[in-house]
Amino acid sequence: MRTDQMLTRLERVFARLDREPERPAHLQTPQMSRHRIVLLGSTLAFYLAIVVAVLTTSWLVRLDWQVMFFRPYEQWPQLHAFLDYLVVLGQRGPTAVMVAAWLGWRSWRQHTLRPLITLGVALLLLNITVGAVKLGLGRLGPHYATQIGSAELFAGGDIFPSGHTANAVVTWGILAYLASTTVTRRVLSVVSATVSLSVGATTVYLGTHWVSDVLLGWSAGLLIMLALPWFEPLIAGVEARVFALRERQRRRLETGTVPAPVATMLTPLLSAGGKWQLRLPAGATGPQEAAAPAGPPVPATAQAAAGAAHAPAPRPTAHISGRPHLIRSERTPVTPAGSRRPAHTERPAAAGRAAARPAAGG
């Protein structure tokens, strides 16, 4: 007779996840290889060439104006609704939340903080580098251009390079960067490249960016992804410090004890010298002696005789205040001011009925 439990589809999924190793041993940190250095140098040269071409108002600026006058959103209006949603894949807020949720699950599953810290470092580099160039060059977008044929630089804008495009490259490229297998890394690289290219082309279609803005945004995002291996020691150091802080906090919570109030731990014992000795539990600190209450000291011989006769000696109670403690026989009797018993209005009537009964019986 088979007693195997039939699992649902969701339970089978979780059972498969439970077989996944907590921290894969085959994970390799990307290194700054010669191939990567060559790509980084080429991308940096392309980045500088675009900046120089815009600064000198070259053919690239003329291409920007030609595409702007072409107005792609008027040529293919049927794509407008779809591309309005597609461009969200390049916005920093929604994409960062989606990717951080996935990487957070991976961090919890693999017991490592590297995915989240890597994402944080990449986004920090993106904001610093792209934001500095945006504010430094101050280029206006196509919808706010004032002079035909001009590069529209240093006019208080923040359009160059394209933040949507650079953010799409970094946010979706980080998934490929953190992939655990070669096949997964290649597939995610193709997906991230497709998404970033689509987002950049969509901004040109909508007329929110020049062509040169998108080209510089692609270059800026690719530079950050290629330079990330240089920051791997920093990422590992931050992860080690966070784990060390967690372990110290855990040990402090496990070994730390909260001392009880001293007043509840005192056990007074009367000594031969007429002083109160306060016995404390192990680990507690406090005064070892306290002054005995006012009154004549009890002789030690009387205590010895009481102990020999196995008679329970009275154990007085320690008092915090300095006033002498009086036993019950020495207290002054206090007469209550009034009776605590409530008045009974029915008692005279009951007494009258009781007096009338014998007369009725006679």
Side-chain angles (χ1 to χ4, degrees), residues 46-347:
F46 183 72
Y47 184 96
L48 296 176
I50 295 173
V51 174
V52 171
V54 173
L55 287 173
T56 58
T57 317
S58 64
W59 61 270
L60 187 57
V61 176
R62 293 193 298 270
L63 177 63
D64 290 339
W65 281 97
Q66 290 174 1
V67 174
M68 193 272 286
F69 285 133
F70 182 70
R71 292 182 175 86
Y73 56 88
E74 293 182 357
Q75 302 296 329
W76 302 284
Q78 65 275 10
L79 300 177
H80 201 288
F82 170 74
L83 295 181
D84 272 340
Y85 290 102
L86 179 63
V87 79
V88 177
L89 296 178
Q91 291 183 0
R92 193 163 307 160
T95 56
V97 170
M98 290 187 292
V99 175
W102 168 253
L103 295 181
W105 183 85
R106 279 192 56 185
S107 297
W108 172 78
R109 184 66 191 155
Q110 298 176 355
H111 294 264
T112 175
L113 294 177
R114 179 174 172 263
L116 286 177
I117 298 176
T118 305
L119 176 64
V121 170
L123 293 180
L124 181 62
L125 291 174
L126 175 68
N127 292 332
I128 293 176
T129 56
V130 174
V133 177
K134 278 176 174 287
L135 297 178
L137 296 179
R139 191 181 190 186
L140 294 175
H143 293 315
Y144 302 96
T146 58
Q147 186 177 356
I148 298 177
S150 172
E152 301 294 336
L153 294 173
F154 311 110
D158 57 349
I159 208 73
F160 182 71
S162 171
H164 275 70
T165 306
N167 184 73
V169 174
V170 172
T171 306
W172 302 109
I174 204 73
L175 299 178
Y177 180 84
L178 295 172
S180 56
T181 62
T182 305
V183 176
T184 306
R185 184 178 295 111
R186 291 176 180 175
V187 172
L188 291 178
S189 297
V190 174
V191 172
S192 61
T194 304
V195 172
S196 59
L197 290 173
S198 302
V199 169
T202 300
T203 59
V204 175
Y205 167 87
L206 296 175
T208 57
H209 279 286
W210 308 99
V211 175
S212 55
D213 297 343
V214 174
L215 294 177
L216 197 65
W218 283 329
S219 304
L222 189 57
L223 283 175
I224 294 173
M225 296 306 303
L226 292 174
L228 269 182
W230 279 337
F231 296 89
E232 285 294 339
L234 174 63
I235 295 171
V238 172
E239 182 184 19
R241 290 184 181 182
V242 172
F243 280 142
L245 180 62
R246 185 192 65 176
E247 290 300 324
R248 287 198 301 267
Q249 187 68 18
R250 180 180 298 175
R251 292 174 184 175
R252 184 179 304 173
L253 294 176
E254 290 177 355
T255 60
T257 55
V258 180
V262 177
T264 61
M265 299 188 302
L266 304 183
T267 305
L269 292 177
L270 190 63
S271 65
K275 294 184 178 180
W276 294 102
Q277 292 184 351
L278 306 179
R279 181 177 300 172
L280 304 179
T285 58
Q288 298 299 321
E289 292 185 358
V298 181
T301 57
Q303 294 182 12
H310 300 285
R315 299 181 63 183
T317 307
H319 295 274
I320 304 302
S321 63
R323 298 183 301 173
H325 177 67
L326 302 178
I327 61 178
R328 183 177 297 274
S329 61
E330 300 179 22
R331 297 177 183 173
T332 303
V334 180
T335 303
S339 177
R340 297 182 182 178
R341 181 176 299 174
H344 297 278
T345 57
E346 299 178 357
R347 181 170 297 178

